[in-house]
Amino acid sequence: MRIRFISLALVMVVIGLAGQLSAQPVTSRVAALPPDAKLGGTGVVYSNSFFQERYMQLGRTIAYGLFIGGAFQQAVWRASGKYEGKAPVRQEANAFEALLGDFDVTGSVNERLRARMPEARHFEIEFTNDAALAEALVSLASSEAKAGGETARKIAAEGRDVMCVVKVSYGFGARAGREQLGFKKTYRPFVRLLGVVRKNSTGEVIWHGAVIAWSAKGYKGREAKEIPRAELVDALKTVSEDAISLLIRSLNGESLSPMGQLVDETNEDGKF
């Protein structure tokens, strides 16, 4: 019995350390800007996955959700706002997307972030509806490229100081901490936003970070599979708004309190 207890303790330590090593901390250099700085930019909000069912499995990989092939097909869809004919693709992705029906989480985040971006004191971001430009912005964000690039030069030529890319992830996940002790784990609806603001002229990263918001209500074990539709939609609407608030606070240079972390978070979560 003692050996079994020690083994369980070691497993929990390993899980905790793995989470710490793979975490994507929120960092901000916005505070270094002059107080009256106002940078104009072009942005895109996109997702490369549907609803993620991230149930705890020791040693699991990032093989969750459903990813769409092609050249940023999902990014193009989200950025352009052309949802006609696309909803069935999302709804057929998994049982939770079918349950959400007409409610599109990334589409909702896209709309709300556009409305609330003026709250970011140092930035005036105009989110593009151009599919090709959206695709190029996501490519620039993922390449870690420095200065240059046709897209960056084009945006700079239009008088834009920066580019902004925000990736949306959402679903059910386990939040690291005490609530994961024991045999029945707790799962919560979450929305995670990964963002970068890059200076067009030099490629300098002005801001980079990831924020995550969790539903106040958690579900034990298989309860998550049985959540009523209205309850899930309301939870995702709330956490979407919370995640946007955290993102804007970080863009404004505020220090954020620990937000909790996905138990199985990996390096893939930190990539565009």
Side-chain angles (χ1 to χ4, degrees):
M1 180 65 70
R2 183 180 179 185
I3 293 175
R4 185 177 179 183
F5 175 78
I6 292 174
S7 298
L8 178 60
L10 285 174
V11 168
M12 295 307 296
V13 169
V14 170
I15 291 174
L17 288 175
Q20 292 176 19
L21 290 174
S22 64
Q24 300 297 325
V26 172
T27 58
S28 177
R29 297 174 60 186
V30 176
L33 293 172
D36 59 347
K38 199 74 170 180
L39 303 177
T42 302
V44 60
V45 179
Y46 81 106
S47 177
N48 62 5
S49 65
F50 292 127
F51 193 104
Q52 299 177 359
E53 300 176 57
R54 299 181 64 147
Y55 300 112
M56 287 178 64
Q57 294 180 18
L58 189 60
R60 75 178 296 175
T61 64
I62 200 68
Y64 55 74
L66 174 64
F67 290 77
I68 302 300
F72 300 108
Q73 179 180 348
Q74 194 75 342
V76 171
W77 168 17
R78 303 301 190 187
S80 65
K82 296 177 181 177
Y83 294 92
E84 295 82 358
K86 297 291 186 179
V89 177
R90 176 182 58 79
Q91 292 166 0
E92 293 168 7
N94 56 51
F96 282 112
E97 288 290 5
L99 184 63
L100 289 174
D102 293 335
F103 180 66
D104 185 304
V105 178
T106 303
S108 177
V109 171
N110 191 343
E111 180 181 344
R112 291 298 300 145
L113 185 57
R114 288 174 184 239
R116 294 191 57 189
M117 201 63 185
E119 297 174 34
R121 294 191 295 268
H122 298 294
F123 301 100
E124 291 180 344
I125 304 297
E126 181 180 338
F127 290 95
T128 183
N129 289 318
D130 182 89
L133 180 55
E135 185 177 314
L137 288 172
V138 175
S139 180
L140 282 172
S142 62
S143 68
E144 298 183 359
K146 296 298 181 182
E150 183 179 347
T151 301
R153 287 193 293 270
K154 178 183 177 182
I155 297 173
E158 295 173 350
R160 298 289 179 175
D161 304 302
V162 297
M163 55 161 280
C164 173
V165 176
V166 178
K167 184 180 82 169
V168 182
S169 303
Y170 61 96
F172 261 117
R175 184 172 62 183
R178 291 183 179 180
E179 62 190 33
Q180 302 313 329
L181 296 176
F183 292 102
K184 279 194 175 182
K185 311 304 180 185
T186 299
Y187 300 97
R188 298 174 184 274
F190 73 89
V191 169
R192 187 179 186 279
L193 304 179
L194 173 70
V196 64
V197 176
R198 197 183 284 272
K199 199 168 183 179
N200 290 320
S201 60
T202 63
E204 176 190 4
V205 174
I206 297 177
W207 176 87
H208 177 275
V211 298
I212 188 167
W214 302 88
S215 170
K217 182 176 180 179
Y219 300 84
K220 290 287 188 181
R222 291 191 58 84
E223 289 178 353
K225 297 273 190 182
E226 300 166 359
I227 182 173
R229 179 185 185 278
E231 195 170 305
L232 180 59
V233 171
D234 287 346
L236 287 170
K237 284 182 178 179
T238 298
V239 294
S240 294
E241 204 70 32
D242 291 345
I244 291 170
S245 294
L246 289 167
L247 183 73
I248 290 172
R249 287 177 57 196
S250 185
L251 283 169
N252 285 338
E254 294 184 36
S255 297
L256 303 181
S257 301
M259 293 166 280
Q261 180 189 331
L262 283 167
V263 169
D264 64 350
E265 188 169 322
T266 77
N267 289 333
E268 286 297 318
D269 288 302
K271 295 179 180 178
F272 289 99

